[in-house]
Amino acid sequence: MRTSSVLFNPMLRHFQEKIKFSGPITVAEYMKTCLYHPEHGFYNKNPLGRHGHFITSPEISSFFGEMLGIWAAKQWQSLGCPRPFSFIELGPGRGLMCSDILKTFMKITDVSPKELSVHLIENSSKLKALQEERMKALFKTGTDDGVSVTWSSNLLESRVTSPFVLFANEFFDALPIHIFKKDTTQWREVLVGLEESSDKFDLVRSRTSSASLKLIPECFQSSRHLELSFESGIILLEIVRMLQELKGSCLIIDYGEESMSGNTDTFRGYRSHKQVDPLSDPGECDLTADVNFAYFKTVLTDEKCSGVSSFGLIEQGDFLLQLGLMQRLDDEMSRCSSERKAKEIFSAFTKIVSPKEMGSRFKVMGIQNEDLPRPPGFDIIENNE
């Protein structure tokens, strides 16, 4: 099993004492504490940006958010141009994608600021402050003629009351996962423990059966290694409930696969743009795992999800190009005043679209009410069926 030495930090003693006192903990508990601890959690340390630990598509190019703004406008029309209308984003980061989407959406529709309600789901107080600053500067939030923006720690608290579009870009990959391994015929959960001869963290298999084993869907029984985020499943069901009550359309964009095999270990850490051992420096590196889209599809087949359809997976590059990104690139390049600027724009375009960059690694999944027209961006899937 994987092991690592852990340098001293505020959470080191917490994990060591807890494991020594009560035994190994789940990977899910380890991830959740490392990432979301209110004082020492990684996401309370403003990790986003070019000088942080990782870069997301909205940070690379405003093209990304602009295309999603076009998608949101088309879905608003499919929903019958409802007023008021709600915009929801899970894990908005610094608010770059949100602002790019909203600027584009408001430019190509006649929805007024007073008719638009923005709901941002964010746990980090530092990121919330950055988002609030950006929203005030761009959309006059907090004024009589500005866009209404509210923050919540989860969807249940968001109090959305109108039809909506929802975006989750690189959100689900950071939610806690449970890891399971099968020997011959028996599943065991993988836990975070300590080596017997030292205080180094180690991934170990549980010696006994755990309650979470009962939550493994039947379709994964042929796998040998499995990573499931039950918290993601709960959020998906909440999204479905909102769709059933209010009507709307959602996009999930993340790295992951739809394969049922699930035999690859994807639990990893990132620090300063480099992959590191996820058990090193708890709270000081980003922890992530590939999104198990096969599990998402399984959740959405539950009878509780009646009246809702899913679309995809489709590669991010194909999705963006279907929305008109090539034409947007041509327009921008034609206005470039220098060769240097043109190269910067094309480089950013390449990173979010090229199969060798983020274009194939990231997948797009759509969820909406089944009585709505097929959402834009998913036509390649239809042609391949």
Side-chain angles (χ1 to χ4, degrees):
M1 303 295 285
R2 179 168 42 197
T3 64
S4 67
S5 60
V6 184
L7 300 177
F8 181 78
N9 65 51
M11 281 200 286
L12 171 63
R13 188 180 301 276
H14 164 76
F15 283 122
Q16 288 179 333
E17 291 182 350
K18 180 164 188 177
I19 293 172
K20 287 178 181 179
F21 180 76
S22 58
I25 60 175
T26 64
V27 173
E29 181 180 346
Y30 177 82
M31 283 186 71
K32 189 166 188 174
T33 306
C34 287
L35 296 178
Y36 301 104
H37 187 279
E39 184 177 358
H40 305 300
F42 179 76
Y43 290 138
N44 274 314
K45 299 176 182 178
N46 188 26
L48 292 177
R50 295 184 180 277
H51 302 291
H53 300 265
F54 59 92
I55 301 175
T56 61
S57 291
E59 301 246 319
I60 294 172
S61 173
S62 62
F63 285 165
F64 186 78
E66 290 173 12
M67 292 301 104
L68 298 188
I70 292 172
W71 186 89
K74 291 183 178 180
Q75 292 306 91
W76 174 72
Q77 292 172 342
S78 293
L79 286 163
C81 303
R83 305 164 193 268
F85 188 59
S86 293
F87 170 94
I88 309 168
E89 185 178 355
L90 309 183
R94 291 196 295 150
L96 288 171
M97 187 179 87
C98 174
S99 59
D100 289 337
I101 293 174
L102 291 175
K103 283 187 291 186
T104 303
F105 177 82
M106 297 177 73
K107 184 184 298 184
I108 60 180
T109 69
D110 60 353
V111 177
S112 69
K114 290 185 178 181
E115 295 173 319
L116 189 60
S117 179
V118 177
H119 301 266
L120 302 181
I121 310 302
E122 181 60 69
N123 283 306
S124 168
S125 57
K126 290 187 177 181
L127 290 177
K128 178 182 174 182
L130 291 174
Q131 296 158 14
E132 190 169 8
E133 182 179 355
R134 186 177 298 276
M135 293 297 106
K136 283 183 178 180
L138 293 174
F139 305 109
K140 299 180 181 180
T141 59
T143 65
D144 292 339
D145 57 348
V147 174
S148 169
V149 182
T150 58
W151 282 265
S152 307
S153 59
N154 57 65
L155 275 176
L156 279 172
E157 298 176 356
S158 61
R159 297 182 180 179
V160 180
T161 58
S162 62
F164 63 91
V165 287
L166 180 149
F167 295 91
N169 178 59
E170 293 194 58
F171 170 78
F172 285 100
D173 65 89
L175 293 186
I177 62 166
H178 290 261
I179 300 179
F180 305 96
K181 284 188 178 292
K182 181 185 284 186
D183 291 323
T184 52
T185 59
Q186 201 169 45
W187 284 106
R188 285 289 183 262
E189 184 159 8
V190 176
L191 307 173
V192 177
L194 291 171
E195 290 185 348
E196 293 183 4
S197 58
S198 71
D199 285 337
K200 294 180 180 179
F201 292 132
D202 187 13
L203 289 180
V204 298
R205 298 188 190 189
S206 173
R207 296 178 181 178
T208 59
S209 178
S210 60
S212 56
L213 296 180
K214 298 178 181 179
L215 300 177
I216 299 177
E218 183 64 30
C219 60
F220 293 107
Q221 292 302 321
S222 61
S223 301
R224 312 299 299 180
H225 175 97
L226 189 57
E227 299 169 358
L228 297 177
S229 172
F230 299 128
E231 187 168 334
S232 295
I234 293 171
I235 293 173
L236 281 177
L237 290 177
E238 178 60 18
I239 291 174
V240 168
R241 183 195 65 79
M242 293 174 65
L243 288 171
Q244 292 168 335
E245 291 185 4
L246 301 171
K247 212 161 188 179
S249 190
C250 313
L251 273 187
I252 297 171
I253 305 173
D254 229 313
Y255 43 83
E257 299 295 337
E258 193 176 4
S259 171
M260 288 287 187
S261 61
N263 290 318
T264 304
D265 178 4
T266 71
F267 178 45
R268 56 199 182 276
Y270 284 96
R271 186 173 186 177
S272 300
H273 307 287
K274 294 181 180 179
Q275 187 170 330
V276 298
D277 191 307
L279 300 183
S280 66
D281 270 352
E284 298 298 326
C285 64
D286 179 36
L287 299 179
T288 183
D290 283 12
V291 173
N292 189 333
F293 283 106
Y295 174 62
F296 282 22
K297 291 292 186 72
T298 300
V299 170
L300 293 172
T301 59
D302 189 279
E303 59 183 14
K304 298 177 183 177
C305 301
S306 61
V308 172
S309 298
S310 65
F311 299 85
L313 298 177
I314 188 169
E315 293 181 356
Q316 174 177 290
D318 290 335
F319 178 79
L320 294 173
L321 290 172
Q322 285 189 60
L323 293 177
L325 182 54
M326 185 61 73
Q327 294 92 319
R328 179 69 181 88
L329 173 68
D330 291 341
D331 292 342
E332 193 69 19
M333 295 285 280
S334 67
R335 292 196 294 266
C336 282
S337 57
S338 68
E339 184 177 351
R340 178 181 177 181
K341 183 63 176 176
K343 286 182 178 180
E344 290 177 356
I345 292 172
F346 187 76
S347 175
F349 164 83
T350 301
K351 285 181 180 178
I352 64 174
V353 173
S354 171
K356 296 181 180 179
E357 301 277 354
M358 304 172 79
S360 291
R361 180 77 173 105
F362 284 78
K363 306 298 192 301
V364 184
M365 180 180 183
I367 308 173
Q368 65 178 30
N369 299 88
E370 64 180 10
D371 59 344
L372 295 178
R374 188 180 187 88
F378 293 93
D379 290 342
I380 290 179
I381 293 296
E382 186 175 48
N383 292 338
N384 288 339
E385 290 175 349

